[in-house]
Amino acid sequence: MQEKKKILFLAEGQMGDSICLTPALRAVKNSLPDSHTTILLFHRRKYTVNTSVAENTSIEKSNYEGTAEIFKDNRDVDEVLEFDRKAMRELKGFKRLSAEIKCIRFLRKQKYDAVICTFPQNRFVIWSFLAGIKIRIGEKGQKFETLLTDRPEISRGDNGVLNYFCDLLKPLGITSNDKKTYFKVPPESIEFAKRKLEPLNISTEKKLLIIHPGASDKDRQWPQKKFTELINYIKANNSIEILIAYSEYDEEYINELNELSRNSLKSVETEKISDLAGLLKLADISIVHNSGPRHLAAAVGTKTIGLLEKYDDIMWKIYDDINKHAIIQSVKNCEACKEGKCLGIIPASEKFGARCMHDIEAKEVYSLVERIINNP
């Protein structure tokens, strides 16, 4: 490739996916320092103020709200664009076709030299082709792959998502050995965290453990009764402070957890990703599900314990330092799922947690907390 290139990443708009993309973005800038890197986030749901469908079915320059905040101060990103694909799906017939053509024309006008389709999505491939982008890279074996110019034989299940994103760059002659994720915590978010902790009487002489119970799906969440058992083990230790961090999406889960804990929990609700990052930055360790907060904690340098479904590690067992980032899963056979694929079946009497999540024992998690938090 020539040195001066415009490179487009078509990406999912999820927090965890965005954080896991940061090593690949860094590799592009290190290899092509004069290149111009744009990310187009395809949101499953918009995190901005509600507007009409018509206003949401075009490509917009980001105002860095919601998950786009991941890239706000990232020196490896020149521009972020956003698109609400959920709103697009609400359109029918000619209106939808017209909206898609408008988006494709927008991309064509930008004259990108190369596009990386970070997930095997039909729209990624079709738009890239119709936008006339010369180099079109995407995973081999997906639908419409003939519209791609380069098709690496890789999948997210081979070596994890971090390696997958970086391996997509190989057709550009770019390799990456540095898989460390990145998020710059703004100073005001550290101050936000300190203000929130002060009235909670969090002891600075104890280590701080943050529990974030959020996840994109209820089957990925550990049942509240299990978390309550774990919290009781930790409180008996008396050397660790516990803080629950959550967002508005977690309120149902948090309310039930509070009831089981007799409203004895210290908690902070956050609206912005950067404010959650500020809290996580002050913590010694975090307990998280297979979710965006898990990757945010790792990106700001906080130790993590991930509670994952039995087969979730195929794509998401991605952090090599097991003394800083551990995962725990059920070791029991699961009759509800296929080998290598979790179907996320929640027991009939429960609201949260697939069967394999119910098999993770609180005492086992506590032992892991003790090992990780005391490891220098």
Side-chain angles (χ1 to χ4, degrees), residues 79-360:
E79 183 181 33
V80 178
L81 304 171
E82 300 185 67
F83 171 75
D84 186 348
R85 62 181 177 180
K86 182 179 178 182
M88 179 68 80
R89 285 173 181 160
E90 294 179 13
L91 296 179
K92 305 297 179 185
F94 180 77
K95 286 185 177 180
R96 178 165 175 172
L97 178 62
S98 177
E100 297 231 23
I101 291 173
K102 182 179 178 182
C103 292
I104 293 165
R105 284 176 174 168
F106 174 89
L107 295 177
R108 182 177 280 273
K109 287 181 181 179
Q110 309 311 307
K111 299 186 182 300
Y112 295 110
D113 299 292
V115 58
I116 294 92
C117 302
T118 62
F119 279 96
Q121 299 282 350
N122 295 346
R123 187 176 275 113
F124 286 5
V125 178
I126 295 170
W127 281 19
S128 299
F129 175 76
L130 294 177
I133 302 173
K134 185 177 180 181
I135 300 173
R136 305 180 296 277
I137 304 170
E139 174 186 329
K140 186 175 182 179
Q142 63 179 297
K143 198 173 181 181
F144 301 111
E145 67 171 327
T146 55
L147 301 182
L148 298 167
T149 60
D150 297 89
R151 300 179 289 274
E153 293 190 49
I154 59 175
S155 74
R156 289 168 287 168
D158 291 339
N159 297 301
V161 172
L162 286 176
N163 288 312
Y164 175 80
F165 287 152
C166 290
D167 287 346
L168 284 170
L169 302 177
K170 288 182 178 179
L172 299 178
I174 298 172
T175 57
S176 172
N177 296 318
D178 180 8
K179 302 301 191 301
K180 189 178 187 319
T181 54
Y182 173 81
F183 180 79
K184 183 178 180 180
V185 184
E188 59 268 24
S189 293
I190 296 292
E191 292 304 313
F192 164 88
K194 290 178 179 178
R195 287 197 308 273
K196 290 293 184 178
L197 293 182
E198 187 174 0
L200 297 177
N201 296 318
I202 300 288
S203 173
T204 57
E205 296 180 0
K206 298 180 181 181
K207 294 188 175 181
L208 177 60
L209 181 154
I210 288 183
I211 294 172
H212 196 294
S216 57
D217 299 296
K218 289 183 176 182
D219 58 278
R220 292 185 173 190
Q221 293 175 281
W222 204 32
Q224 294 100 323
K225 60 185 177 183
K226 296 283 188 175
F227 254 129
T228 303
E229 286 182 50
L230 173 63
I231 289 167
N232 289 337
Y233 280 127
I234 295 171
K235 284 183 175 180
N237 175 292
N238 203 36
S239 65
I240 300 172
E241 285 276 15
I242 302 170
L243 178 72
I244 310 295
Y246 68 99
S247 74
E248 61 178 321
Y249 302 106
D250 310 313
E251 286 182 354
E252 181 185 4
Y253 188 100
I254 290 295
N255 290 338
E256 294 187 20
L257 181 61
N258 271 324
E259 286 181 16
L260 288 171
S261 302
R262 298 179 181 178
N263 297 313
S264 63
L265 300 176
K266 299 175 181 179
S267 62
V268 173
E269 181 179 1
T270 59
E271 295 182 0
K272 299 194 297 184
I273 288 174
S274 55
D275 289 342
L276 173 58
L279 286 170
L280 291 169
K281 185 72 175 176
L282 298 183
D284 296 281
I285 190 171
S286 60
I287 298 179
V288 283
H289 295 119
N290 185 15
S291 61
R294 175 184 174 223
H295 304 293
L296 185 63
V300 302
T302 300
K303 296 176 182 180
T304 64
I305 294 176
L307 308 177
L308 274 63
E309 290 177 308
K310 185 173 177 66
Y311 298 119
D312 257 358
D313 63 328
I314 297 173
M315 288 189 291
W316 299 108
K317 194 175 182 179
I318 57 177
Y319 300 111
D320 294 332
D321 189 347
I322 60 173
N323 292 316
K324 285 191 69 175
H325 305 294
I327 63 171
I328 189 164
Q329 299 163 287
S330 169
V331 296
K332 296 180 181 179
N333 292 326
C334 180
E335 297 178 358
C337 299
K338 300 175 182 178
E339 182 66 29
K341 182 176 177 61
C342 186
L343 299 179
I345 298 174
I346 300 173
S349 60
E350 302 289 342
K351 290 183 181 179
F352 297 92
R355 292 185 183 185
C356 56
M357 295 297 286
H358 286 261
D359 289 335
I360 298 174

Side-chain angles (χ1 to χ4, degrees), residues 237 239-240 305 365-375:
N237 175 292
S239 65
I240 300 172
I305 294 176
V365 179
Y366 175 69
S367 296
L368 197 55
V369 170
E370 286 282 282
R371 178 174 73 81
I372 299 294
I373 203 169
N374 292 317
N375 192 309

